[in-house]
């Protein structure tokens, strides 16, 4: 069975319980919740029973231990997570606006998760994995990007596969060197998982179908476009498959795309057809938004089956 690796930030999220624009005055808060896009993704992979691991760095503090406990309990190999004495685990404070958009205050670049030195143990973890999943957030952090690129090289040389979720938050788009790193990764990608209009950052095409056709021609094997409440579509040489979203009441959308990605990659690696993989990935994303906290809604196969049996598509 394939073993999935991801590299990137492990942090906590703390959520304001009021709605408004930012944190310029005191707000009531809830948390901490385990978080970080790569951590959420790999937790979802682990909960589906697919062997998986993460390389990352945390502080020697309660926030770091909170994440280790959750990831380990959900089946993730955390032997490649370095604990940095004297440093703090990364954090993200989030507050929702009235229109549903979010304001974040991040402590990532200057926290333990902002760097990840090369180590013999980290290389051993890479050698033990057969699939690499890359998040754009890891490529935007100079201290993480080198390890992500190293992992791609190792797993590729060992005959493994690569999936890529750009996950491009607005605050990282102007990071020096990010454009080149994104293009480098895309050239090696088997499974590409952009959200919404992200696909147009990688092509000059004017429609989704044209963009997907161009990327397939350039060597990407499978493309999945995530659209949240508008469903998702899969493209490969065999054609296009669409899947409607599942109608649920949204509480917290943070992490839903990572849960979708974790579920799709898990089913894809285990040989599921596109329709089956899309259906379960949509269910994972839908269930995620019904829980407060970005990792609180990761799902087991049984939980996805229950949701699919009791809900309708949007």
């Amino acid at each position: 069975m394939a073993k999935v690796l991801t590299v990137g930030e492990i942090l906590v999220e703390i959520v304001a319980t009021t709605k408004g624009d930012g944190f310029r005055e005191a707000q009531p808060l809830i948390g901490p919740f385990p978080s970080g896009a790569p951590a959420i993704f790999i937790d979802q992979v682990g909960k589906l029973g697919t062997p998986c691991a993460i390389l990352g760095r945390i502080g020697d503090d309660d926030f770091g231990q909170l994440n280790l406990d959750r990831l380990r309990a959900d089946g993730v190999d955390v032997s490649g997570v370095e604990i940095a004495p004297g440093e703090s685990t990364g954090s993200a404070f989030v507050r929702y606006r009235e229109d549903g958009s979010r304001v974040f205050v991040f402590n990532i670049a200057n926290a333990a998760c902002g760097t990840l030195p090369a180590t013999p143990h980290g290389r051993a973890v890479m050698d033990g994995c057969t699939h690499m999943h890359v998040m754009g957030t890891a490529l935007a952090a100079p201290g993480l990007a080198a390890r992500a690129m190293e992992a791609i090289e190792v797993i590729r040389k060992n005959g493994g596969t690569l999936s890529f979720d750009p996950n491009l938050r607005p605050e990282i788009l102007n990071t020096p060197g990010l454009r080149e790193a994104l293009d480098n990764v895309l050239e090696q990608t088997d499974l590409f998982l952009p959200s919404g209009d992200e696909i147009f950052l990688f092509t000059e095409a004017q429609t989704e179908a044209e963009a997907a056709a161009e990327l397939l021609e350039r060597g990407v094997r499978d493309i999945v476009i995530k659209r949240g409440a508008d469903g998702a579509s899969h493209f490969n040489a065999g054609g296009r498959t669409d899947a409607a979203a599942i109608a649920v009441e949204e509480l917290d959308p943070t992490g839903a795309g990572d849960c979708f990605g974790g579920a799709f990659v898990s089913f894809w690696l285990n040989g599921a057809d596109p329709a089956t993989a899309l259906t379960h990935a949509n269910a994972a994303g839908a269930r995620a938004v019904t829980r407060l906290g970005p990792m609180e809604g990761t799902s087991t196969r049984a939980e996805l089956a229950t949701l699919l049996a009791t809900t309708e598509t949007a």
Side-chain angles (χ1 to χ4, degrees), residues 14 18 36 50 55 59 75 80 89 92 127 133 135 150 160 182 185-186 243 245 249 270 291 294 310:
I14 298 168
T18 60
T50 299
L55 294 181
T89 299
D127 281 326
H133 182 74
M135 310 290 286
E150 179 189 1
L182 293 170
V185 172
L186 184 64
E249 184 174 348
N270 284 286
R291 305 296 195 275
T310 57

Side-chain angles (χ1 to χ4, degrees), residues 3 52-55 71-72 75-81 121 125 129:
K3 184 172 183 178
C52 59
I54 184 169
L55 294 181
L71 293 168
R72 189 181 290 116
V76 180
D77 176 357
V78 295
S79 63
V81 177
H121 184 70
V125 172
C129 294

Side-chain angles (χ1 to χ4, degrees), residues 70-161:
R70 173 64 63 81
L71 293 168
R72 189 181 290 116
D74 289 343
V76 180
D77 176 357
V78 295
S79 63
V81 177
E82 178 185 347
I83 300 174
E87 298 185 40
S88 298
T89 299
S91 61
F93 287 76
V94 60
R95 189 181 185 200
Y96 284 85
R97 298 187 179 99
E98 291 292 343
D99 64 3
S101 63
R102 295 165 289 175
V103 181
F104 287 95
V105 176
F106 290 105
N107 176 28
I108 294 177
N110 297 312
C113 62
T115 187
L116 187 60
T119 65
H121 184 70
R123 175 56 185 264
V125 172
M126 295 176 193
D127 281 326
C129 294
T130 60
H131 180 86
M132 174 64 181
H133 182 74
V134 179
M135 310 290 286
T137 51
L139 298 177
L144 295 175
R147 295 291 75 70
M149 299 308 293
E150 179 189 1
I152 293 170
E153 180 180 3
V154 169
I155 290 173
R156 274 303 201 188
K157 283 184 176 179
N158 290 341
T161 50

Side-chain angles (χ1 to χ4, degrees), residues 83-282:
I83 300 174
E87 298 185 40
S88 298
T89 299
S91 61
F93 287 76
V94 60
R95 189 181 185 200
Y96 284 85
R97 298 187 179 99
E98 291 292 343
D99 64 3
S101 63
R102 295 165 289 175
V103 181
F104 287 95
V105 176
F106 290 105
N107 176 28
I108 294 177
N110 297 312
C113 62
T115 187
L116 187 60
T119 65
H121 184 70
R123 175 56 185 264
V125 172
M126 295 176 193
D127 281 326
C129 294
T130 60
H131 180 86
M132 174 64 181
H133 182 74
V134 179
M135 310 290 286
T137 51
L139 298 177
L144 295 175
R147 295 291 75 70
M149 299 308 293
E150 179 189 1
I152 293 170
E153 180 180 3
V154 169
I155 290 173
R156 274 303 201 188
K157 283 184 176 179
N158 290 341
T161 50
L162 174 67
S163 55
F164 176 31
D165 182 345
N167 193 29
L168 295 173
R169 298 191 301 260
E171 65 271 11
I172 69 174
L173 286 174
N174 295 321
T175 302
L178 178 61
R179 176 79 255 182
E180 294 79 4
L182 293 170
D183 290 340
N184 185 349
V185 172
L186 184 64
E187 289 177 4
Q188 305 177 68
T189 294
D190 298 291
L191 169 61
F192 186 42
L193 296 137
S195 294
D197 291 342
E198 281 183 339
I199 194 169
F200 297 112
L201 295 173
F202 300 87
T203 171
E204 296 182 359
Q206 299 300 306
T207 68
E208 285 184 349
E210 291 172 350
E214 179 184 326
L215 293 177
L216 291 172
E217 181 68 23
R218 285 161 55 181
V220 180
R221 191 201 317 173
D222 291 89
I223 299 166
V224 176
I225 300 177
K226 300 171 288 178
R227 306 188 197 88
D230 293 322
S233 298
H234 171 272
F235 302 82
N236 65 7
R240 172 174 178 162
T241 302
D242 297 309
I246 295 173
V248 294
E249 184 174 348
E250 180 181 287
L251 177 61
D252 181 2
T254 304
D258 306 317
C259 290
F260 177 105
F264 191 92
V265 169
S266 183
F267 278 85
W268 181 79
L269 286 171
N270 284 286
D273 61 79
T276 298
L278 277 181
T279 297
H280 286 83
N282 272 342

